[in-house]
Amino acid sequence: MHLFKGKIVKYGITHKIRGMAQDDQFKKLVSHCKEYGFIFQSSEIYDGLSATYDYGPYGVELKNNIKQYWWKSMVQMHENIVGLDAAIFMHPSTWKASGHVDAFNDPMLDNKDSKKRYRADQLLEGYMEKLELKINKEVKKAKKRFGDAFNEEEFRSTNPRVLANAEKHETVRVELATAMTNGDMEALGALIEKYEIKCEISGTANWTEVRQFNLMFSTQLGNIAGSESKLYLRPETAQGIFVNFLNVQKSTRQKLPFGIAQIGKAFRNEIVARQFIFRMREFEQMEMQFFIKPGTQKEWYEYWKTKRLDWHKALGTSPDKLRYHDHDNLAHYADAAVDIEFEFPFGFRELEGIHSRTDFDLTEHQKLSGKKMQYFDPVTQESYVPYVVETSIGCDRMFLAMMGNALQEETVPDAKGNDSTRTVLKLHPALAPVKCAVLPLVKNKEVLTDKAKEVYNKLTASFNCQYDEKDAIGRRYRRQDAIGTPYCVTVDFESLDDNMVTIRERDSLKQERVPIDKVRGIVLEGIDMGSLF
Ligand code: GAP
């Protein structure tokens, strides 16, 4: 996210962007989310519960719109993809079969002096990020020194300091990937020692050994004691889809290839949960399992890679902020995996994963349950366990990405033509929490407020509207800008005679006088999700 960077002039508005450090941008985003009722810390009155958050009145609207955009494009616009809403609790054998009981671990270690707990892989990734920063700093310095004559490609491939750091980066990357793929905790500990990585709090390298930590939360079923009754909160929604594969296929008479999609909560006991809603212990996933004929997985993997990136771009997200990142070490179930990364305020991070999961899950469920998980192919007259390509996106991460993209500070002319600053949330209108605000020009004239309420009541059945009569009109516009409302409708004294109102567009600030009967149509056209597909 580049909240305040550069200076863009568009529609006569100057987007003045402060040279804010990324940390400051992020703090601003977090406080905006709280101040305007998007996100609150969970159980805040008890000082909060770490890595859990509540969505406020505008947050829940934005989140629902994100889910709707996903559901429409994935389910309703695909004849061969259907929906599901499986329970969070599943039979404990599910997690044995899926490999989560044995392999859903993160490598953790503690610093003996600060008592702070870390993920070993993240410490090494942090070290790699520092190397990248050093390289970028060299490049920036040289760019400044050489001006227009600077050839970045040549510089990166010849400068000895850049080359040395790039080589070191690659060495660490390979060593980390090897240790993670082999689940070798000792090797991870050795790497942390080799690169003299220190605790950010104590500044020491006084580490415990690296050990595996299972990320699943567990609880008990009813009042039965013992391992028999141990239940897990699902760490991914996907398994609810796998175990229902034949129920869905038979009841909907789908033929391969077909998909099952689901939106729902997932839970992970993350060792290091920070960066606001980026990494939470309770979060929401939007997942789709696409069941295919074995041997066609490469083709479908490529198809969904492209399709999902296009889904992000359709929202107007700049392609510069999105990139693919192939997995260095594959999860136990995958034969290929890629992340779609987004440039968050703290750098490029995973937003969505596309995984070629082979027939691993269905085969393991078949083995443990003793029930056939096979599909009878009417074309080849054979029965086989299908392969699966999965798309999996975190709803909360998508929320954070959209908020980060949208939050801007601009200099705009005020009513007298002087420069004034506004904070505006330039969300795509289809995602905006409130679509239209209805504002009487002044509040203490009943004829005007009655007329404005009449307009408001005409619109509420069609989209989310807000009626606001408090404060001066300029302040009310600013409040709507800050929550991303694409349209404001102002009712003034002339409206009483001519039945017309002024409609103001959030981004261009264009104001137009239109008949009241036309408002609904104008707003509906502007917020139409269909325009995204
Ligand atoms: N079924 C495959 C799966 O769960 P994953 O890469 O572990 O794959 C998929 O998770 C997506 O879920 C991620 O790309 C991310 O957007 C989201 N996600 C994962 N862990 C999360 C967490 N602790 N907090 C918020 N979102 C998370």
Side-chain angles (χ1 to χ4, degrees), residues 105-109 118-128 172 176 180 188 192 197 210 271-272 279 329:
N105 303 316
D106 273 344
M108 68 161 203
L109 76 171
Y118 291 89
R119 255 173 69 177
D121 56 330
Q122 285 181 348
L123 281 180
L124 287 156
E125 278 165 11
Y127 180 75
M128 285 160 64
V172 186
L176 172 61
M180 289 296 285
L188 284 171
I192 285 167
I197 296 173
V210 181
I271 299 166
V272 185
R279 195 179 299 285
N329 47 302

Side-chain angles (χ1 to χ4, degrees), residues 211-224:
R211 50 207 191 282
Q212 295 276 27
F213 178 80
N214 192 285
L215 297 184
M216 282 197 294
F217 283 105
S218 65
T219 184
Q220 290 291 124
L221 175 68
N223 57 1
I224 318 160

